[in-house]
Amino acid sequence: MRKFIQKGVILISAIAFSFSFFGCNDKTATTEPVTQTGRTAEDQLALTPPMGWNSWNAFGKEVSEQVIKETVDAIVSTGLQAVGFNYVVIDDIWQGGRDSVTGMLYEDAKRFPSGMKALADYVHSKGLKFGIYSDAGTLTCGDMPGSFGYEEKDAKSFASWGVDFLKYDYCYVPELVSWNNDYKMAIDRYKTMGDALKATGRPILYSICEWGPRSPWLWGKEVGGHMWRTSYDVADIWDTPRNETSPIGILTSIDAMANLGRFSGRGGWNDPDMLVVGLKNTGFIKGGGCNEIEYRTQMNMWCMFSAPIMIGCDVRNMNEETKTILLNKDIIAIDQDSLAKQGFRVMSKDGLEAWKKPLSGGRFAIALFNRNSQDKTITASWKDLELNASARYDAYDVWMHETTGVSLDKISAKLKPHESQVYVFTEAKKNN
Ligand code: GLA
């Protein structure tokens, strides 16, 4: 299914080129993200990390009009829409083919009998937004027709159907003669579709799915992207080694995000892939399944990262634990915080980690995380957490939904295997 035609490597020359190609320099990469107010409609599309649902993890090639409509209804009735999940994205294998005379892409008539425009209208009628998938190569990763050479035509079709979001994959892209040109090809192909989307005049959120080998965080925004994958596909599994091909586990994807914070911010986000929360080894992608603690850690870390949160489970059939994870407004508020800063690792010892995410209003989100397969107690001092050593902090537990108290100089938590706890730290007033 996944034929990654070009196994890219991160080349020093590639990085150097992409900086000079776009006139970027180290200074621009480290300054605060530029506020997009007053710029084009595309720039306004992802001022906070996109939230929604994608069909791939649960349905794969079984996606259909009926599934999408029922999913839309469930997103509304379960309250997912109310907490911010608003994009409904049809992933690969919706296509029926490409007309050999007109060159127009069309949907599979059996699974989408009313057509994409009617389906988009249904999604919009419920106050949600409609997303679709294509690929920069000649075929998609699921062997359907890709957009290579048809970018303008396809972008126009998507706009005419009412598409609000395009996920654009990177299988079957023709190879260039040398490895050194691999990344140039990616920039070129993604820019071609980015320009085609802009030319339609319809604001369409552009999700780059190149998986990371060609460092899309360096050029994603310049080609019109609003989010870019930083890893291969996350399966329903806690850990598999190395981020070299699909699938990987949750932990591997977390590690792939660790040093990329400076490339994420308002308008363009690092994307560690869709959530596997709630799949429980059902649906399309499988992987063996994770336990509730591991699913909660995925939600915690994605929100610590200001990552797009795209649900991957069947929302028509969520159990109470899955609902609790996906409907937690306190953790979602960390993801959507207006400061738009990706969290970073401040402490790592014996498989115990602390991560910190600056929040608006001078607050911080702190995640304490146990990578080990045994219960462990973690203690992090204000020094470890790079906090003001002479301050006292109120720590609000986002899963207990209560302030756990004020401490003078450290915080401790007993964590089960793979468990994480997240707190919002606010400096306590003097004499508290
Ligand atoms: C690639 C992508 C996945 C999914 C499939 C569809 O593997 O990374 O997220 O879109 O293709 O074929």
Side-chain angles (χ1 to χ4, degrees), residues 91-130:
D91 207 283
D92 202 2
I93 322 202
W94 59 266
Q95 307 87 337
R98 188 179 291 286
D99 188 292
S100 58
V101 178
T102 63
M104 303 295 274
L105 198 54
Y106 54 83
E107 65 281 336
D108 179 300
K110 275 214 186 83
R111 284 179 290 123
F112 296 92
S114 312
M116 285 301 168
K117 171 86 177 72
L119 188 52
D121 288 348
Y122 185 80
V123 176
H124 292 148
S125 75
K126 303 288 172 173
L128 295 170
K129 295 180 178 174
F130 182 60

Tab-separated table of all heavy atoms in Angstrom, residues 91-130:
chain	number	residue	atom	x	y	z
A	91	ASP	N	-9.847	10.756	3.337
A	91	ASP	CA	-8.477	10.419	2.936
A	91	ASP	C	-8.508	9.639	1.625
A	91	ASP	O	-9.492	9.690	0.864
A	91	ASP	CB	-7.782	9.651	4.082
A	91	ASP	CG	-6.276	9.804	4.082
A	91	ASP	OD1	-5.614	9.149	3.256
A	91	ASP	OD2	-5.743	10.575	4.899
A	92	ASP	N	-7.470	8.898	1.361
A	92	ASP	CA	-7.283	8.220	0.076
A	92	ASP	C	-8.421	7.223	-0.243
A	92	ASP	O	-9.130	6.748	0.635
A	92	ASP	CB	-5.945	7.467	0.130
A	92	ASP	CG	-5.377	7.184	-1.250
A	92	ASP	OD1	-5.986	7.592	-2.241
A	92	ASP	OD2	-4.303	6.552	-1.314
A	93	ILE	N	-8.517	6.900	-1.508
A	93	ILE	CA	-9.396	5.869	-2.061
A	93	ILE	C	-10.868	6.283	-2.049
A	93	ILE	O	-11.772	5.509	-1.823
A	93	ILE	CB	-9.130	4.478	-1.418
A	93	ILE	CG1	-7.617	4.293	-1.174
A	93	ILE	CG2	-9.673	3.354	-2.312
A	93	ILE	CD1	-7.107	2.898	-1.046
A	94	TRP	N	-11.063	7.555	-2.339
A	94	TRP	CA	-12.412	8.061	-2.642
A	94	TRP	C	-12.590	8.140	-4.161
A	94	TRP	O	-13.706	8.231	-4.668
A	94	TRP	CB	-12.621	9.458	-2.034
A	94	TRP	CG	-11.628	10.490	-2.525
A	94	TRP	CD1	-10.447	10.844	-1.934
A	94	TRP	CD2	-11.708	11.285	-3.714
A	94	TRP	NE1	-9.793	11.804	-2.679
A	94	TRP	CE2	-10.549	12.095	-3.783
A	94	TRP	CE3	-12.668	11.399	-4.738
A	94	TRP	CZ2	-10.301	12.995	-4.822
A	94	TRP	CZ3	-12.413	12.301	-5.783
A	94	TRP	CH2	-11.247	13.086	-5.810
A	95	GLN	N	-11.456	8.080	-4.890
A	95	GLN	CA	-11.480	8.359	-6.336
A	95	GLN	C	-12.072	7.179	-7.116
A	95	GLN	O	-11.879	6.015	-6.761
A	95	GLN	CB	-10.054	8.595	-6.854
A	95	GLN	CG	-9.260	9.665	-6.100
A	95	GLN	CD	-8.533	9.126	-4.874
A	95	GLN	OE1	-8.915	8.092	-4.314
A	95	GLN	NE2	-7.509	9.811	-4.443
A	96	GLY	N	-12.751	7.541	-8.243
A	96	GLY	CA	-13.222	6.507	-9.166
A	96	GLY	C	-12.260	6.395	-10.334
A	96	GLY	O	-12.082	5.332	-10.917
A	97	GLY	N	-11.629	7.498	-10.713
A	97	GLY	CA	-10.681	7.508	-11.828
A	97	GLY	C	-10.508	8.910	-12.357
A	97	GLY	O	-10.979	9.886	-11.755
A	98	ARG	N	-9.829	8.990	-13.516
A	98	ARG	CA	-9.643	10.280	-14.180
A	98	ARG	C	-10.156	10.137	-15.618
A	98	ARG	O	-9.780	9.182	-16.320
A	98	ARG	CB	-8.162	10.677	-14.168
A	98	ARG	CG	-7.927	12.089	-14.672
A	98	ARG	CD	-6.467	12.481	-14.629
A	98	ARG	NE	-5.912	12.653	-13.301
A	98	ARG	CZ	-6.149	13.687	-12.494
A	98	ARG	NH1	-6.965	14.649	-12.879
A	98	ARG	NH2	-5.596	13.765	-11.299
A	99	ASP	N	-11.009	11.030	-16.036
A	99	ASP	CA	-11.600	10.971	-17.372
A	99	ASP	C	-10.504	11.154	-18.425
A	99	ASP	O	-9.761	12.137	-18.394
A	99	ASP	CB	-12.657	12.078	-17.492
A	99	ASP	CG	-13.449	11.943	-18.781
A	99	ASP	OD1	-12.869	12.157	-19.876
A	99	ASP	OD2	-14.637	11.622	-18.686
A	100	SER	N	-10.423	10.194	-19.357
A	100	SER	CA	-9.313	10.233	-20.309
A	100	SER	C	-9.459	11.372	-21.323
A	100	SER	O	-8.488	11.798	-21.925
A	100	SER	CB	-9.200	8.895	-21.040
A	100	SER	OG	-10.416	8.643	-21.693
A	101	VAL	N	-10.659	11.890	-21.484
A	101	VAL	CA	-10.852	12.990	-22.437
A	101	VAL	C	-10.701	14.347	-21.738
A	101	VAL	O	-9.887	15.187	-22.130
A	101	VAL	CB	-12.243	12.886	-23.112
A	101	VAL	CG1	-12.457	14.059	-24.059
A	101	VAL	CG2	-12.371	11.554	-23.824
A	102	THR	N	-11.430	14.553	-20.651
A	102	THR	CA	-11.413	15.873	-19.994
A	102	THR	C	-10.277	16.002	-18.981
A	102	THR	O	-9.923	17.101	-18.577
A	102	THR	CB	-12.729	16.122	-19.238
A	102	THR	OG1	-12.823	15.134	-18.194
A	102	THR	CG2	-13.927	16.007	-20.164
A	103	GLY	N	-9.744	14.867	-18.556
A	103	GLY	CA	-8.698	14.908	-17.530
A	103	GLY	C	-9.246	15.188	-16.140
A	103	GLY	O	-8.493	15.435	-15.202
A	104	MET	N	-10.565	15.166	-15.997
A	104	MET	CA	-11.159	15.487	-14.692
A	104	MET	C	-11.159	14.262	-13.775
A	104	MET	O	-11.506	13.154	-14.193
A	104	MET	CB	-12.600	15.969	-14.858
A	104	MET	CG	-12.760	17.165	-15.775
A	104	MET	SD	-11.967	18.625	-15.120
A	104	MET	CE	-13.283	19.235	-14.107
A	105	LEU	N	-10.816	14.523	-12.528
A	105	LEU	CA	-10.837	13.481	-11.505
A	105	LEU	C	-12.286	13.299	-11.048
A	105	LEU	O	-13.013	14.284	-10.903
A	105	LEU	CB	-9.981	13.988	-10.345
A	105	LEU	CG	-9.426	13.072	-9.277
A	105	LEU	CD1	-8.636	11.920	-9.898
A	105	LEU	CD2	-8.513	13.876	-8.345
A	106	TYR	N	-12.696	12.053	-10.864
A	106	TYR	CA	-14.062	11.851	-10.358
A	106	TYR	C	-14.070	10.812	-9.238
A	106	TYR	O	-13.156	10.015	-9.094
A	106	TYR	CB	-15.028	11.457	-11.486
A	106	TYR	CG	-14.591	10.260	-12.311
A	106	TYR	CD1	-14.841	8.952	-11.874
A	106	TYR	CD2	-13.918	10.439	-13.512
A	106	TYR	CE1	-14.438	7.868	-12.623
A	106	TYR	CE2	-13.504	9.344	-14.272
A	106	TYR	CZ	-13.769	8.056	-13.809
A	106	TYR	OH	-13.348	6.979	-14.538
A	107	GLU	N	-15.155	10.847	-8.455
A	107	GLU	CA	-15.258	9.987	-7.275
A	107	GLU	C	-15.775	8.595	-7.655
A	107	GLU	O	-16.362	8.411	-8.713
A	107	GLU	CB	-16.191	10.616	-6.230
A	107	GLU	CG	-17.636	10.766	-6.614
A	107	GLU	CD	-17.899	11.956	-7.530
A	107	GLU	OE1	-17.114	12.906	-7.523
A	107	GLU	OE2	-18.893	11.894	-8.264
A	108	ASP	N	-15.579	7.652	-6.756
A	108	ASP	CA	-16.123	6.304	-6.919
A	108	ASP	C	-17.654	6.398	-6.797
A	108	ASP	O	-18.183	6.788	-5.750
A	108	ASP	CB	-15.539	5.411	-5.809
A	108	ASP	CG	-16.056	3.988	-5.883
A	108	ASP	OD1	-17.275	3.777	-5.790
A	108	ASP	OD2	-15.216	3.087	-6.011
A	109	ALA	N	-18.327	6.077	-7.886
A	109	ALA	CA	-19.777	6.312	-7.932
A	109	ALA	C	-20.549	5.377	-7.005
A	109	ALA	O	-21.644	5.711	-6.550
A	109	ALA	CB	-20.271	6.159	-9.369
A	110	LYS	N	-19.982	4.203	-6.712
A	110	LYS	CA	-20.698	3.268	-5.823
A	110	LYS	C	-20.688	3.780	-4.390
A	110	LYS	O	-21.684	3.744	-3.693
A	110	LYS	CB	-19.992	1.903	-5.859
A	110	LYS	CG	-20.409	1.018	-6.984
A	110	LYS	CD	-20.378	-0.468	-6.510
A	110	LYS	CE	-20.651	-1.375	-7.671
A	110	LYS	NZ	-19.444	-1.639	-8.490
A	111	ARG	N	-19.513	4.232	-3.945
A	111	ARG	CA	-19.405	4.648	-2.543
A	111	ARG	C	-19.816	6.104	-2.334
A	111	ARG	O	-20.123	6.516	-1.214
A	111	ARG	CB	-17.977	4.406	-2.023
A	111	ARG	CG	-17.724	2.914	-1.736
A	111	ARG	CD	-16.318	2.634	-1.248
A	111	ARG	NE	-15.347	2.810	-2.299
A	111	ARG	CZ	-14.306	3.635	-2.238
A	111	ARG	NH1	-14.108	4.362	-1.160
A	111	ARG	NH2	-13.466	3.739	-3.244
A	112	PHE	N	-19.799	6.911	-3.394
A	112	PHE	CA	-20.191	8.332	-3.289
A	112	PHE	C	-21.247	8.649	-4.351
A	112	PHE	O	-21.025	9.459	-5.243
A	112	PHE	CB	-18.956	9.228	-3.439
A	112	PHE	CG	-17.948	9.036	-2.338
A	112	PHE	CD1	-16.904	8.122	-2.480
A	112	PHE	CD2	-18.060	9.735	-1.142
A	112	PHE	CE1	-15.989	7.925	-1.466
A	112	PHE	CE2	-17.149	9.544	-0.116
A	112	PHE	CZ	-16.109	8.635	-0.272
A	113	PRO	N	-22.415	8.007	-4.260
A	113	PRO	CA	-23.400	8.127	-5.334
A	113	PRO	C	-23.919	9.555	-5.545
A	113	PRO	O	-24.323	9.900	-6.647
A	113	PRO	CB	-24.535	7.182	-4.897
A	113	PRO	CG	-24.335	6.978	-3.435
A	113	PRO	CD	-22.866	7.104	-3.187
A	114	SER	N	-23.924	10.388	-4.517
A	114	SER	CA	-24.469	11.747	-4.691
A	114	SER	C	-23.416	12.729	-5.180
A	114	SER	O	-23.737	13.897	-5.451
A	114	SER	CB	-25.049	12.271	-3.380
A	114	SER	OG	-25.875	11.302	-2.797
A	115	GLY	N	-22.167	12.303	-5.219
A	115	GLY	CA	-21.097	13.190	-5.680
A	115	GLY	C	-20.522	14.023	-4.547
A	115	GLY	O	-21.138	14.193	-3.493
A	116	MET	N	-19.336	14.553	-4.780
A	116	MET	CA	-18.612	15.271	-3.733
A	116	MET	C	-19.241	16.615	-3.380
A	116	MET	O	-19.197	17.039	-2.242
A	116	MET	CB	-17.158	15.488	-4.167
A	116	MET	CG	-16.329	14.235	-4.071
A	116	MET	SD	-16.322	13.590	-2.363
A	116	MET	CE	-15.614	11.983	-2.646
A	117	LYS	N	-19.832	17.274	-4.363
A	117	LYS	CA	-20.431	18.584	-4.085
A	117	LYS	C	-21.588	18.430	-3.088
A	117	LYS	O	-21.688	19.177	-2.104
A	117	LYS	CB	-20.919	19.187	-5.416
A	117	LYS	CG	-21.748	20.427	-5.290
A	117	LYS	CD	-20.858	21.664	-5.214
A	117	LYS	CE	-21.655	22.957	-5.157
A	117	LYS	NZ	-22.328	23.188	-3.903
A	118	ALA	N	-22.431	17.420	-3.338
A	118	ALA	CA	-23.569	17.196	-2.439
A	118	ALA	C	-23.079	16.810	-1.043
A	118	ALA	O	-23.652	17.234	-0.026
A	118	ALA	CB	-24.465	16.096	-3.008
A	119	LEU	N	-22.006	16.036	-0.996
A	119	LEU	CA	-21.482	15.626	0.311
A	119	LEU	C	-20.899	16.837	1.056
A	119	LEU	O	-21.126	17.013	2.264
A	119	LEU	CB	-20.416	14.533	0.113
A	119	LEU	CG	-19.907	13.862	1.377
A	119	LEU	CD1	-21.037	13.348	2.257
A	119	LEU	CD2	-18.965	12.697	1.008
A	120	ALA	N	-20.176	17.673	0.322
A	120	ALA	CA	-19.632	18.896	0.940
A	120	ALA	C	-20.780	19.766	1.458
A	120	ALA	O	-20.694	20.327	2.567
A	120	ALA	CB	-18.795	19.671	-0.075
A	121	ASP	N	-21.849	19.847	0.692
A	121	ASP	CA	-23.008	20.653	1.126
A	121	ASP	C	-23.556	20.106	2.446
A	121	ASP	O	-23.931	20.866	3.336
A	121	ASP	CB	-24.120	20.632	0.065
A	121	ASP	CG	-23.761	21.459	-1.165
A	121	ASP	OD1	-22.778	22.227	-1.105
A	121	ASP	OD2	-24.450	21.311	-2.198
A	122	TYR	N	-23.601	18.773	2.556
A	122	TYR	CA	-24.110	18.177	3.792
A	122	TYR	C	-23.200	18.541	4.977
A	122	TYR	O	-23.672	18.946	6.042
A	122	TYR	CB	-24.199	16.645	3.657
A	122	TYR	CG	-24.830	16.017	4.872
A	122	TYR	CD1	-26.213	16.012	5.026
A	122	TYR	CD2	-24.040	15.471	5.888
A	122	TYR	CE1	-26.807	15.475	6.162
A	122	TYR	CE2	-24.627	14.928	7.025
A	122	TYR	CZ	-26.007	14.930	7.157
A	122	TYR	OH	-26.587	14.412	8.278
A	123	VAL	N	-21.905	18.405	4.766
A	123	VAL	CA	-20.934	18.737	5.827
A	123	VAL	C	-21.103	20.200	6.237
A	123	VAL	O	-21.193	20.534	7.424
A	123	VAL	CB	-19.490	18.455	5.341
A	123	VAL	CG1	-18.472	18.895	6.387
A	123	VAL	CG2	-19.300	16.974	5.005
A	124	HIS	N	-21.201	21.077	5.238
A	124	HIS	CA	-21.338	22.509	5.528
A	124	HIS	C	-22.660	22.821	6.226
A	124	HIS	O	-22.719	23.708	7.076
A	124	HIS	CB	-21.251	23.320	4.230
A	124	HIS	CG	-19.885	23.297	3.608
A	124	HIS	ND1	-19.660	23.364	2.259
A	124	HIS	CD2	-18.653	23.180	4.173
A	124	HIS	CE1	-18.362	23.320	2.016
A	124	HIS	NE2	-17.726	23.188	3.157
A	125	SER	N	-23.701	22.074	5.878
A	125	SER	CA	-25.017	22.360	6.480
A	125	SER	C	-25.015	22.123	7.987
A	125	SER	O	-25.861	22.623	8.706
A	125	SER	CB	-26.106	21.500	5.814
A	125	SER	OG	-26.005	20.151	6.278
A	126	LYS	N	-24.043	21.331	8.450
A	126	LYS	CA	-23.940	21.071	9.895
A	126	LYS	C	-22.915	21.986	10.551
A	126	LYS	O	-22.493	21.773	11.693
A	126	LYS	CB	-23.536	19.607	10.144
A	126	LYS	CG	-24.463	18.596	9.520
A	126	LYS	CD	-25.786	18.537	10.260
A	126	LYS	CE	-26.758	17.652	9.500
A	126	LYS	NZ	-27.994	17.408	10.193
A	127	GLY	N	-22.427	22.949	9.799
A	127	GLY	CA	-21.464	23.897	10.384
A	127	GLY	C	-20.044	23.356	10.424
A	127	GLY	O	-19.190	23.896	11.127
A	128	LEU	N	-19.770	22.281	9.664
A	128	LEU	CA	-18.412	21.702	9.646
A	128	LEU	C	-17.750	22.003	8.306
A	128	LEU	O	-18.380	22.529	7.386
A	128	LEU	CB	-18.502	20.190	9.886
A	128	LEU	CG	-19.022	19.797	11.272
A	128	LEU	CD1	-19.319	18.305	11.337
A	128	LEU	CD2	-18.037	20.181	12.367
A	129	LYS	N	-16.478	21.657	8.203
A	129	LYS	CA	-15.719	21.933	6.979
A	129	LYS	C	-15.311	20.632	6.316
A	129	LYS	O	-15.095	19.627	7.004
A	129	LYS	CB	-14.502	22.779	7.318
A	129	LYS	CG	-14.900	24.145	7.835
A	129	LYS	CD	-13.686	24.966	8.165
A	129	LYS	CE	-14.122	26.340	8.638
A	129	LYS	NZ	-12.995	27.121	9.095
A	130	PHE	N	-15.123	20.700	5.000
A	130	PHE	CA	-14.965	19.488	4.205
A	130	PHE	C	-13.540	19.363	3.665
A	130	PHE	O	-13.032	20.270	3.009
A	130	PHE	CB	-15.958	19.548	3.043
A	130	PHE	CG	-15.963	18.344	2.157
A	130	PHE	CD1	-16.268	17.091	2.655
A	130	PHE	CD2	-15.686	18.467	0.803
A	130	PHE	CE1	-16.296	15.974	1.828
A	130	PHE	CE2	-15.710	17.363	-0.042
A	130	PHE	CZ	-16.020	16.109	0.484
